[in-house]
Structure formats: C-alpha cells, structure tokens
C-alpha cells in the first residue's frame, strides 16, 4: 500500500512536469519563429557579412600557456549548445518511457508507428528523387519533426486542438527524435578515433555505475558528462550523441523516499508547533529557521534527479538554445530563384518529403496499426486530426537544419537545403493549422445542431 502511494506521488509529479514542459515548449515555439525571422533579416541585410564573420570567430579558453581549447561560435552552438538540446530530449524520452506516453506498448504503439511512417516515407521520397547523385547524402533531412515549432503552432491554435492530440504530437516527436539521433550516430559521423571513442564509452560506463551504486548528487554526473562530451567531440561521432547517453544515466529515484519525507515532515511540523509561532516569525526565531530549512532540504531531496535536471534546463533549452541555433543556422541569403530551388531534385526531395511524405507516412502507418489491432487512437481524435497533426509534423526546421550541416560541405547545397526546409515547414504549418481549425469548427457546428 505504502509503495503504491509513493509510486503515485512520483508519477503525479512527473506528469505535472510534462504539463509544464508542454506550456514552455509552446511559448518556446513562438520565440523560435521570431529567431527565424531575425536570422533571415540578418542574412539578407547590409550586416550579412558581419553576421557570418561573427559565427566564424573562434572562442578560445586558455587554461595555461600550453593548454587551451577553442571552437568557432558556430561550432559552440552546433556542437556544444545542441548537446544540451539533445540532453533535454533524452531526459524527456526517459521520462516518457518511465511513466508517460511511451510507458507501455498500448500507449506507445500509435505514436511510435506514426513516427516510423513519418520518417520512412519522406526518406524514400528523397532517395527516389536523388538516387545516384551527390545529393543522396541529404536523405535524412526530411525525416525530422521540430517539436518546438510544432508545439508553437499547436499552442497558437489554443482550445481548437484536443489535448490528446497535443500529447500524441509530443510522443510522436520524441519518438522521431530517437530516429534522428540514431540516423546521426550511424550515418552522419566522421572517421572514428578509437582512443577518444573508447574513453567516451568509459565515461558513459562510469556514469551508469554511479547510477547503479545510488549516487544522486548531480554535480558528479555533470563533471563526468562534460568529459563524455569532450571525448565524443574528438571521436568522430557527433558530440550531441553524448547528450543522449548522458541523459540515460541520470537517476529517476530520488535521494529521499516519499514515505521517509512524510515521516520527517510530520516530525518537523510537530517541532515547529512547539516554537513560539504566535509571538515570533522565522527571522526572529532561530529554531523556526532550522526547522524550515530542514523541511526545504527534505523536499528538495525528494525530487527525482532526472526531473531536477530537466526542469533546470527546459527553459534554457526552449528560450535560449533553440532560438540561438535558429539565428545561427536559418540565416540563408534569398538571392536565388525559389522556383528553381524547389524544382531541383534536392529541393523537391526535401519539399515533398516534409510537406507530403510526413503526413502520408504518419497517416498510412497509423491506419496499418489500427487495422492490425496493435494500436488505437484516443476517443476524442479522428482521422482529420491525424491528417492535420501529420501536416504539422512536417515542420522539420531545427533537426532538418542540423542534419543539413552534417550532410553537406558544399555551401550551395546547404543553401538550397535550408531554403527548401523553410518553404516546406511554412507550407506544413499553414496546411496543418487550416485542417485542424476546420476540423474544430465543424465539430462545434455539429454540437450546436
């Protein structure tokens, strides 16, 4: 009985965190839209040269005369800050697997199948158009869903969208992130350095051992996590993968059990009642200060380390990392014929993959899951909702831009890819929003009748 109550307490706290995550990511999507506009304005203004020059400047840390470490501003953003982005994605994934929408086969099957279709069909479309060309390296570009942008659009639609559809999108996007992480790790890594890779895996093993032995203090995880990131930075495998591996090792069991917290809090409250509460406030009474501090410490120790870390980073991720990434990577000069860009095999592959392939793959694989009886949609959702959310999932943006930088070195190919991503994401956002609004309005009319 006691164990059940403790589990329910932890689950309730995790679900509350998930709700806050949704609200933050929705607002973060709006910040991302603003950042994208800023990047495009900078890249197409008189300050374009200074903008690109700044991104190429080196930020160097010198620890001694013979020990220094530096990367360009763009590398710090794409290899450093984005590792934290992937860390947050990994923490969200672990939370969802533990108690969220991916915690059981029944819950996970629908969004997992949808994500699988939403990755496979866009990739096949791109490959069919670019097979045998140098563009084929970009096959992973149209596979991704941008969770921040997608939730930003959903947030703007407000109550026109059922909450279960938002939950479906979160689960789909997180599953999509898993696919993107695997694609980056397996297909977009450079020549391996076995020394650094071995050292990195050693750091990962140490983190797992720390978790297994019950170490809860996050500072030790962060120190080893930084070493893990540095090893992967030099290993040939993209350092953002280190963020995901780091997330896997973070404990979810709190330092202080809920039952013990209850007992200690009861004792502290009893002791607090014995103080001169009627005459003195905590500033005047040291005993009250000590008791209140003990209650605060115990409450803090009852929070799972995973949620502590996620909550401390989620705002930084949504309102700083992702917008900064957009400012650094979405700035493309629009000095080309847009029709020519999207009609070429590279641009067309990305455009059709994101704007058409995503919704097609999500719809078909969701239908297959229904027909085979391995998944089911929530009672509040219908197929128009799935089509609408499938369109919105075609907003690739952050991950698509990220994979573009890994796939190509040719600046012309990068430019074509980025422009195509922006156009496809815009079409997907507008198309999905219109479908969901029409679906909602029709539902309201039927209710009135």
């Amino acid at each position: 009985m006691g164990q059940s109550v403790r589990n329910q307490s932890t689950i309730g706290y995790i679900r509350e965190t998930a709700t806050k995550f949704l609200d933050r990511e929705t607002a973060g999507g709006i910040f991302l839209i603003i950042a994208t506009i800023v990047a495009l304005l900078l890249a197409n203004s008189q300050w374009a040269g200074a903008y690109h020059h700044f991104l190429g400047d080196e930020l160097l840390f010198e620890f001694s005369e013979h020990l220094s470490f530096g990367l360009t501003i763009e590398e710090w953003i794409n290899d450093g800050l984005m590792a934290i982005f992937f860390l947050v994605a990994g923490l969200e994934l672990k939370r969802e697997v533990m108690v969220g929408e991916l915690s059981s086969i029944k819950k996970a099957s629908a969004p997992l199948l949808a994500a699988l279709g939403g990755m496979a069909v866009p990739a096949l479309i791109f490959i069919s158009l670019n097979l045998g060309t140098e563009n084929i390296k970009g096959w992973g570009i149209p596979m991704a869903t941008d969770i921040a942008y997608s939730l930003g659009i959903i947030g703007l639609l407000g109550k026109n969208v059922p909450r279960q559809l938002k939950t479906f999108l979160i689960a789909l996007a997180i599953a999509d992130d898993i696919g993107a992480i695997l694609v980056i790790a397996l297909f977009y890594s450079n020549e391996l350095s076995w020394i650094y890779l071995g050292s990195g895996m050693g750091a990962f093993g140490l983190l797992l051992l720390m978790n297994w032995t019950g170490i809860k203090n996050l500072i030790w995880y962060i120190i080893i996590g930084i070493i893990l990131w540095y090893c992967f930075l030099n290993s040939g495998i993209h350092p953002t993968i280190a963020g995901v591996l780091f997330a896997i090792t973070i404990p979810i069991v709190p330092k202080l059990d809920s039952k013990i917290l209850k007992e200690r809090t009861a004792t502290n409250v009893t002791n607090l009642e014995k103080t001169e509460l009627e005459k003195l406030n905590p500033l005047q009474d040291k005993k009250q200060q000590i008791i209140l501090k003990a209650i605060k410490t115990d409450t803090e120790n009852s929070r799972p380390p995973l949620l502590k870390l996620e909550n401390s980073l989620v705002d930084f991720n949504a309102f700083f990392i992702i917008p900064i990434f957009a400012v650094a990577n979405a700035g493309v000069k629009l000095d080309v014929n847009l029709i020519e860009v999207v009609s070429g095999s590279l641009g067309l592959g990305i455009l059709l993959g994101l704007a058409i392939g995503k919704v097609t793959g999500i719809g078909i694989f969701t239908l297959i899951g229904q027909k085979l009886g391995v998944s089911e949609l929530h009672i509040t959702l219908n197929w128009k909702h799935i089509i609408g959310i499938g369109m919105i999932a075609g907003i690739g943006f952050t991950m698509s831009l990220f994979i573009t930088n890994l796939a190509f070195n040719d600046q012309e190919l990068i430019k074509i890819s980025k422009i195509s991503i922006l156009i496809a994401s815009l079409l997907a956002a507008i198309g999905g929003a219109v479908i969901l609004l029409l679906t909602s309005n029709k539902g309201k009319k039927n209710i009135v009748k």
Side-chain angles (χ1 to χ4, degrees):
M1 178 72 177
Q3 183 66 35
S4 175
V5 171
R6 293 196 296 275
N7 288 341
Q8 289 298 319
S9 174
T10 301
I11 290 171
Y13 183 75
I14 292 175
R15 284 177 177 164
E16 181 184 352
T17 296
T19 301
K20 290 179 179 178
F21 157 74
L22 175 61
D23 295 337
R24 286 161 174 160
E25 288 295 331
T26 300
I30 297 172
F31 269 69
L32 183 52
I33 293 171
I34 296 171
T36 305
I37 294 171
V38 169
L40 288 171
L41 289 175
L42 285 173
N44 292 275
S45 70
Q46 58 183 329
W47 301 292
Y51 161 71
H52 290 294
H53 184 270
F54 173 76
L55 292 174
D57 282 345
E58 185 178 33
L59 181 58
L60 183 68
F61 291 93
E62 291 193 62
F63 303 101
S64 68
E65 186 178 347
H66 303 290
L67 181 62
S68 63
F69 175 72
L71 298 170
T72 66
I73 300 295
E74 187 172 9
E75 287 171 339
W76 276 113
I77 293 169
N78 293 343
D79 296 345
L81 289 180
M82 286 301 285
I84 301 175
F85 168 85
F86 276 81
L87 165 60
V88 175
L91 294 172
E92 293 160 3
L93 169 62
K94 188 170 182 177
R95 167 168 51 77
E96 290 295 328
V97 168
M98 295 297 294
V99 297
E101 290 303 309
L102 302 177
S103 61
S104 68
I105 295 297
K106 185 176 181 181
K107 285 183 176 181
S109 55
L112 281 176
L113 280 172
L116 181 61
M119 291 184 286
V121 174
L124 289 173
I125 289 174
F126 185 93
I127 290 170
S128 67
L129 291 171
N130 290 276
L131 192 62
T133 72
E134 62 176 336
N135 303 336
I136 195 64
K137 294 179 182 178
W139 64 272
I141 296 172
M143 293 176 64
T145 292
D146 188 297
I147 190 169
Y149 244 131
S150 299
L151 285 178
I153 299 300
I154 291 293
L156 292 175
L157 298 178
K159 294 182 179 179
N160 291 298
V161 177
R163 178 158 188 84
Q164 286 297 327
L165 191 61
K166 298 176 184 178
T167 305
F168 181 87
L169 174 61
I170 290 175
L172 184 157
I174 290 175
D176 193 285
D177 280 346
I178 299 172
I181 290 164
L182 291 174
V183 166
I184 291 169
L186 296 174
F187 301 102
Y188 289 104
S189 295
N190 300 315
E191 186 177 342
L192 296 180
S193 166
W194 293 104
I195 294 176
Y196 277 108
L197 181 58
S199 300
M201 295 312 295
F204 177 59
L206 179 58
L207 288 166
L208 289 174
L209 181 63
M210 289 165 58
N211 186 321
W212 184 69
T213 55
I215 295 174
K216 310 295 183 187
N217 194 329
L218 284 173
I219 189 64
W220 297 112
Y221 286 90
I222 292 170
I223 291 171
I224 305 300
I226 292 172
I227 296 172
L228 174 67
W229 171 80
Y230 179 79
C231 289
F232 269 74
L233 178 69
N234 294 282
S235 70
I237 294 179
H238 202 274
T240 51
I241 304 302
V244 180
L245 295 178
F246 180 46
I248 292 172
T249 68
I250 302 301
I252 197 166
V253 178
K255 183 184 294 186
L256 189 65
D257 185 88
S258 296
K259 181 182 178 181
I260 299 174
L261 172 68
K262 180 183 176 182
E263 293 170 352
R264 289 171 64 155
T265 302
T267 300
N268 283 321
V269 170
T270 300
N271 292 336
L272 189 63
E273 290 171 347
K274 293 178 182 178
T275 63
E276 298 183 73
L277 288 172
E278 302 297 328
K279 298 179 181 179
L280 303 175
N281 62 44
L283 287 176
Q284 300 167 316
D285 188 348
K286 275 195 171 183
K287 288 183 180 179
Q288 290 184 41
Q289 291 178 29
I290 294 170
I291 294 168
L292 290 173
K293 184 178 180 180
I295 292 174
K296 180 182 178 182
T297 301
D298 286 346
T299 303
E300 186 66 19
N301 288 337
S302 70
R303 295 175 61 207
L306 182 142
L307 297 183
K308 280 187 188 180
L309 187 58
E310 182 182 351
N311 287 337
S312 67
L313 291 175
V314 70
D315 283 340
F316 181 63
N317 185 55
F319 301 117
F320 182 77
I321 292 178
I322 299 176
I324 286 294
F325 175 83
V327 171
N329 290 275
V332 57
K333 194 167 183 64
L334 304 176
D335 59 351
V336 294
N337 187 318
L338 297 183
I339 301 298
E340 290 182 6
V341 168
V342 297
S343 61
S345 63
L346 174 59
L348 189 61
I350 294 172
L351 182 64
L352 292 180
L354 286 172
I356 305 297
K358 271 286 182 183
V359 63
T360 303
I362 288 170
I364 290 175
F365 275 60
T366 302
L367 179 61
I368 290 173
Q370 295 277 82
K371 295 296 183 182
L372 294 178
V374 297
S375 65
E376 58 183 28
L377 293 176
H378 192 271
I379 192 171
T380 60
L381 305 181
N382 58 47
W383 284 103
K384 289 182 180 177
H385 287 130
I386 299 303
I387 293 171
I389 211 68
M391 286 291 294
I392 287 178
I395 304 173
F397 201 73
T398 305
M399 288 304 298
S400 293
L401 291 175
F402 189 73
I403 293 175
T404 294
N405 292 333
L406 299 178
F408 301 123
N409 293 317
D410 188 315
Q411 291 302 312
E412 191 61 27
L413 296 180
I414 291 175
K415 179 191 288 189
I416 293 172
S417 298
K418 288 184 175 182
I419 293 173
S420 302
I421 291 166
L422 292 172
I423 294 173
S425 297
L426 179 61
L427 292 176
I430 294 172
V434 169
I435 290 171
L436 291 177
L437 282 174
L438 291 176
T439 302
S440 172
N441 291 335
K442 186 176 180 181
K444 289 177 182 178
K445 289 178 182 178
N446 289 337
I447 291 173
V448 171
K449 290 179 181 179

